[in-house]
Amino acid sequence: MKKATIHEIAKALNIDSSTVSRALNDSDRVRAKTKKRVLDKARELGYTRNLLASNLRRNKSNTIGVVVPRISRYFFSSTIAGIEEMAYQAGYNVIICQSLEEVLREQKIIRNLMANRVVGILISVTMQTRDTAHLTECFENGTPLVFFDRHVTGIKQTGKVLLDDVRGGFEATEHLIHQGCKKIVHFTAPLEVEIYKNRHEGYRSALAKYDLPYDENLVFVSTLLKEDGYRLAGKIVEELDGVDGIFSANDFAALGALNYLKKSGIRVPGDIAIVGFSNEPTSAVIEPSLTTVDQSGTEIGRLACNLLLDYFENGNTLINDKTIMIPPKLIVRESSKRY
Amino acid sequence: MKKATIHEIAKALNIDSSTVSRALNDSDRVRAKTKKRVLDKARELGYTRNLLASNLRRNKSNTIGVVVPRISRYFFSSTIAGIEEMAYQAGYNVIICQSLEEVLREQKIIRNLMANRVVGILISVTMQTRDTAHLTECFENGTPLVFFDRHVTGIKQTGKVLLDDVRGGFEATEHLIHQGCKKIVHFTAPLEVEIYKNRHEGYRSALAKYDLPYDENLVFVSTLLKEDGYRLAGKIVEELDGVDGIFSANDFAALGALNYLKKSGIRVPGDIAIVGFSNEPTSAVIEPSLTTVDQSGTEIGRLACNLLLDYFENGNTLINDKTIMIPPKLIVRESSKRY
DNA sequence: AAATATAATACAATCGATTGTACCAATAAT
DNA sequence: ATTATTGGTACAATCGATTGTATTATATTT
């Protein structure tokens, strides 16, 4: 029941606990024969190193903190999977926290992770995060920070792994234009959030390239839930005229719109073509299947974690607003394919 | 950069660090006035409690370990969300690990969690877990264990939160029978795995109840991937005659089968009705939508975590092979609805 | 064999917070 | 005024492992 310690091993072998510690850590200050005796006795006593003590002494927790808005969202659970995979290989633990899109919770979580002396934090911020004091605190305390996907600007001394959202928005919109769309609506979330700002920028620059007018009335800001998409699609049909394309900044809203249009007997892509963003699993199986921009969560997670791991090995060189930009991949499916 | 400690606060105020500690923990052995001075100074110095030290002293980590086969599977990410939610409320951290269906990894993970002195472990085991030594070790070391969903039998001193798989299998099969199916195939995974054994048992007893023969040749064991479903559906169509129903022990294989049948021009549910298990998000949107048995991951996660938390508060009373059985919920959709 | 070098181990401080016991003050009781 | 009580602090040990330094035992050199 009670766990064995190095001191008990030491006493049993009549040697000092420091020697036991070194033996267990395979130090070359201990003779091979002694090591063997220690290891055998350790096994006999069912010894497991107390990492709490070890971490305290070394003042490191060998734990990485991860903060996401919501674990059960596919994109985030895939990033977590990628992060965990890399961390495990390198011998780190991963503490997962979800902010549930609440800034207050995010702040508390960060403080808690700091109190736990995590070696670094990987974070995708909430949609509401404007005040970044809790984030700047991190590197001020010497805890490196890496953003992935949802990030904030203006903080130096961090790493970032981002999808090239501008390009993603551009390609999505351009694709719709290539399919003959002339009046393209854009569903987005508050433009203070970097990723949505960037997708919007891509949308806008695609319109510009093809000499289509940018019309503020065609841009709808919401929380991008399925219900928002459903509602907005209704609005478009009722109140606007001649809309022939929708570019939604995420798949959920796109799927909601798709639902509404199907139910209303409006043909997709015939009457209105739709492109989403994120490549949710659902998007591939719905009918018509949804054209979308893929962002490989697993890959982003791996890269973000590696950025941190590299930092530990190579020092300051890597984290200094170092940004890894991932190219977006447009996945063309039925919802937009007119030819 | 360097973090402040209680000793620095103590020195600054010219009092003892034990008083500071008690003040920070709001002990009634410290005068209100002193508490205020300590708190103010703590804020001034940017103090954050070092949980590593605190945990070591109390020999508890205030961390709960969670082990799942794969984080990115929807069911598991929802359970994690539920677990994290409860744990957060109670002031615990959650370390998440994925076994990736590898027993060896599972063993290593358990050992690591023990070394980290987690206060308890919530686990859903791999499909391959037969040898349970690493699990019995847990409670031998005083670390309580709670299984959810995928469990093993024969270990006392654990809690369990399970879906009533027997009943789920029964209801799924009975439903198919009610829809007029006479020759029902069952897709399952190795029957050494409890949940699959139980779903199979439900299948079998439903057949018995309605005097339908149980035929081993109608039971197909695989890993239940989408591809397995696709392949097996082909086999059924080619090699068997008169199959008019499929009960798959998970949705993935059911979706694979659905794909094959659609592609082959076989009507679902007209020719063959299909029922899955788990209610994956995809299952609701595919056409025809898939009838399935719902298991609320979030709810299971919450319950599992609460079982552990109750144990901490109420001692041994709660964990002693205590099993919480959740009733399954059959969700009837198009893939099986004949009338 | 003596002197030096080196390998192996022991000693002791430390990481930061917690907690039982001891102590001193101020107040209450006699 | 003296003793008993108790509220508020200080002292010191402790959790278990790590690590710089000191010491002893062995090996090498002269």
Side-chain angles (χ1 to χ4, degrees):
Chain A
M1 199 74 177
K2 192 66 186 50
K3 275 118 178 175
T5 70
I6 53 170
H7 302 101
E8 294 168 42
I9 297 178
K11 198 174 293 170
L13 296 176
N14 207 25
I15 57 177
D16 192 82
S17 55
S18 61
T19 303
V20 174
S21 172
R22 292 197 166 93
L24 291 170
N25 287 310
D26 202 27
S27 154
D28 51 10
R29 279 173 66 175
V30 179
R31 187 166 30 167
K33 194 178 141 203
T34 312
K35 276 184 195 168
K36 184 166 170 7
R37 288 176 64 215
V38 169
L39 258 52
D40 287 348
K41 183 58 79 178
R43 194 160 310 128
E44 182 191 328
L45 297 179
Y47 171 84
T48 41
R49 167 198 265 104
N50 186 329
L51 283 177
L52 294 180
S54 170
N55 291 339
L56 170 61
R57 183 61 230 261
R58 298 174 316 156
N59 202 30
K60 290 223 274 156
S61 64
N62 87 308
T63 299
I64 294 172
V66 178
V67 190
V68 296
R70 196 172 293 276
I71 295 171
S72 55
R73 274 210 29 206
Y74 181 74
F75 171 70
F76 291 121
S77 63
S78 341
T79 51
I80 293 172
I83 291 168
E84 203 276 337
E85 181 190 327
M86 285 295 124
Y88 178 84
Q89 276 177 23
Y92 289 89
N93 287 115
V94 175
I95 291 186
I96 311 281
C97 309
Q98 43 186 353
S99 60
L100 301 178
E101 303 283 5
E102 293 165 29
V103 185
L104 207 71
R105 229 179 118 117
E106 186 174 276
Q107 290 168 342
K108 273 200 208 160
I109 287 169
I110 295 278
R111 302 242 156 76
N112 176 254
L113 290 175
M114 304 280 280
N116 271 289
R117 299 295 189 270
V118 294
V119 294
I121 295 177
L122 305 177
I123 186 171
S124 201
V125 299
T126 77
M127 276 200 195
Q128 322 300 331
T129 305
R130 307 280 184 276
D131 175 16
T132 57
H134 56 298
L135 299 172
T136 48
E137 253 177 40
C138 289
F139 75 78
E140 276 166 11
N141 277 292
T143 307
L145 202 59
V146 173
F147 291 96
F148 57 93
D149 195 46
R150 300 228 210 121
H151 58 293
V152 300
T153 51
I155 301 190
K156 293 287 163 198
Q157 298 291 342
T158 64
K160 288 180 183 168
V161 177
L162 313 174
L163 192 77
D164 190 337
D165 288 295
V166 177
R167 199 168 132 196
F170 180 87
E171 288 186 8
T173 311
E174 183 177 50
H175 167 69
L176 283 171
I177 296 172
H178 283 337
Q179 298 299 310
C181 297
K182 303 273 182 229
K183 191 168 180 181
I184 302 169
V185 155
H186 181 37
F187 292 170
T188 185
L191 294 178
E192 289 86 25
V193 183
E194 277 294 312
I195 59 170
Y196 299 116
K197 189 179 100 185
N198 290 336
R199 288 171 198 179
H200 173 262
E201 188 186 323
Y203 161 74
R204 198 162 172 170
S205 69
L207 293 183
K209 179 174 174 190
Y210 293 93
D211 291 323
L212 291 175
Y214 171 76
D215 180 354
E216 273 187 1
N217 298 316
L218 297 183
V219 175
F220 297 87
V221 175
S222 71
T223 48
L224 289 179
L225 297 178
K226 208 162 184 171
E227 297 76 50
D228 294 314
Y230 192 91
R231 181 173 51 76
L232 291 174
K235 208 166 163 185
I236 288 168
V237 171
E238 309 256 315
E239 301 176 12
L240 294 177
D241 213 38
V243 169
D244 53 6
I246 298 176
F247 164 44
S248 169
N250 82 11
D251 276 4
F252 295 117
L255 292 171
L258 191 51
N259 260 354
Y260 178 87
L261 297 177
K262 270 167 75 177
K263 199 165 282 182
S264 316
I266 295 170
R267 287 170 307 161
V268 176
D271 298 324
I272 298 184
I274 305 185
V275 176
F277 208 110
S278 283
N279 195 19
E280 297 289 334
T282 314
S283 307
V285 301
I286 201 167
E287 297 189 12
S289 57
L290 182 68
T291 296
T292 187
V293 178
D294 184 54
Q295 46 180 165
S296 164
T298 317
E299 191 55 22
I300 289 181
R302 283 201 202 104
L303 287 168
C305 194
N306 274 338
L307 202 55
L308 198 61
L309 296 172
D310 275 358
Y311 167 73
F312 296 143
E313 287 166 17
N314 310 329
N316 240 324
T317 45
L318 277 175
I319 294 203
N320 208 323
D321 209 25
K322 159 126 185 169
T323 302
I324 296 182
M325 195 66 96
I326 298 185
K329 201 163 72 194
L330 185 74
I331 299 188
V332 178
R333 298 209 185 95
E334 295 160 8
S335 71
S336 67
K337 222 185 298 183
R338 286 181 163 173
Y339 314 117
Chain B
M1 201 69 178
K2 193 66 186 51
K3 275 116 175 174
T5 71
I6 52 170
H7 302 102
E8 295 170 40
I9 298 179
K11 199 173 293 168
L13 297 176
N14 208 26
I15 58 178
D16 193 80
S17 56
S18 61
T19 303
V20 174
S21 172
R22 291 197 166 94
L24 291 170
N25 287 310
D26 203 26
S27 155
D28 50 10
R29 278 174 65 177
V30 179
R31 185 168 29 170
K33 194 178 139 202
T34 313
K35 276 183 193 167
K36 185 168 169 9
R37 288 176 64 216
V38 168
L39 257 53
D40 287 348
K41 183 60 77 177
R43 195 159 312 126
E44 181 192 327
L45 298 178
Y47 171 82
T48 40
R49 168 198 265 103
N50 186 329
L51 284 177
L52 294 180
S54 170
N55 292 339
L56 169 61
R57 181 60 230 261
R58 297 172 320 155
N59 204 29
K60 291 221 274 160
S61 64
N62 87 310
T63 299
I64 295 171
V66 178
V67 190
V68 296
R70 195 172 294 275
I71 296 170
S72 55
R73 274 216 21 213
Y74 181 73
F75 171 71
F76 290 121
S77 63
S78 340
T79 53
I80 292 173
I83 291 168
E84 202 275 337
E85 183 190 325
M86 286 294 124
Y88 178 83
Q89 275 177 25
Y92 289 89
N93 287 115
V94 175
I95 291 187
I96 311 279
C97 310
Q98 44 185 351
S99 60
L100 300 178
E101 303 283 5
E102 293 166 28
V103 184
L104 206 72
R105 231 179 116 118
E106 186 174 275
Q107 290 168 342
K108 272 199 208 163
I109 286 169
I110 295 278
R111 302 240 156 77
N112 176 253
L113 290 175
M114 304 280 280
N116 271 288
R117 299 296 189 267
V118 293
V119 293
I121 296 177
L122 305 176
I123 185 170
S124 200
V125 300
T126 77
M127 278 201 194
Q128 323 299 331
T129 305
R130 307 282 183 275
D131 175 16
T132 57
H134 57 299
L135 299 172
T136 50
E137 254 177 41
C138 287
F139 74 78
E140 278 167 11
N141 277 292
T143 307
L145 203 58
V146 173
F147 291 96
F148 58 93
D149 195 48
R150 298 227 211 120
H151 59 294
V152 299
T153 53
I155 302 192
K156 293 286 164 198
Q157 298 290 343
T158 64
K160 288 180 184 169
V161 177
L162 312 174
L163 191 77
D164 191 338
D165 287 296
V166 177
R167 199 168 134 198
F170 180 87
E171 288 185 8
T173 312
E174 184 177 49
H175 167 71
L176 284 171
I177 297 172
H178 284 336
Q179 299 299 311
C181 297
K182 302 277 184 225
K183 191 167 181 180
I184 303 169
V185 155
H186 181 38
F187 292 169
T188 185
L191 295 177
E192 288 86 27
V193 184
E194 276 295 312
I195 59 170
Y196 299 116
K197 190 178 99 186
N198 290 336
R199 290 170 196 179
H200 173 263
E201 188 185 323
Y203 160 75
R204 199 161 169 169
S205 68
L207 293 183
K209 180 174 174 190
Y210 293 93
D211 291 325
L212 291 175
Y214 170 76
D215 179 354
E216 273 188 0
N217 297 317
L218 297 184
V219 175
F220 296 88
V221 175
S222 71
T223 47
L224 289 178
L225 296 178
K226 207 163 186 170
E227 297 76 50
D228 294 314
Y230 191 91
R231 181 174 50 77
L232 291 174
K235 211 167 161 183
I236 289 168
V237 171
E238 308 257 316
E239 301 176 13
L240 295 176
D241 214 34
V243 169
D244 53 7
I246 298 176
F247 165 43
S248 169
N250 82 13
D251 277 2
F252 295 117
L255 292 171
L258 190 52
N259 259 355
Y260 179 88
L261 297 178
K262 270 167 75 176
K263 199 164 284 181
S264 316
I266 294 169
R267 287 170 309 160
V268 176
D271 299 325
I272 297 184
I274 306 185
V275 176
F277 208 111
S278 283
N279 194 19
E280 297 289 334
T282 314
S283 306
V285 300
I286 200 167
E287 297 190 14
S289 57
L290 182 69
T291 296
T292 187
V293 177
D294 185 55
Q295 46 180 164
S296 165
T298 318
E299 192 55 23
I300 289 181
R302 283 200 201 105
L303 288 167
C305 194
N306 274 338
L307 201 58
L308 198 60
L309 296 173
D310 275 359
Y311 167 74
F312 295 144
E313 286 165 20
N314 309 329
N316 241 324
T317 46
L318 276 174
I319 294 205
N320 208 323
D321 209 24
K322 158 129 186 166
T323 302
I324 296 181
M325 195 66 97
I326 298 186
K329 201 163 73 194
L330 185 72
I331 298 187
V332 178
R333 299 208 186 95
E334 297 162 4
S335 71
S336 67
K337 225 185 299 184
R338 284 181 166 174
Y339 314 115

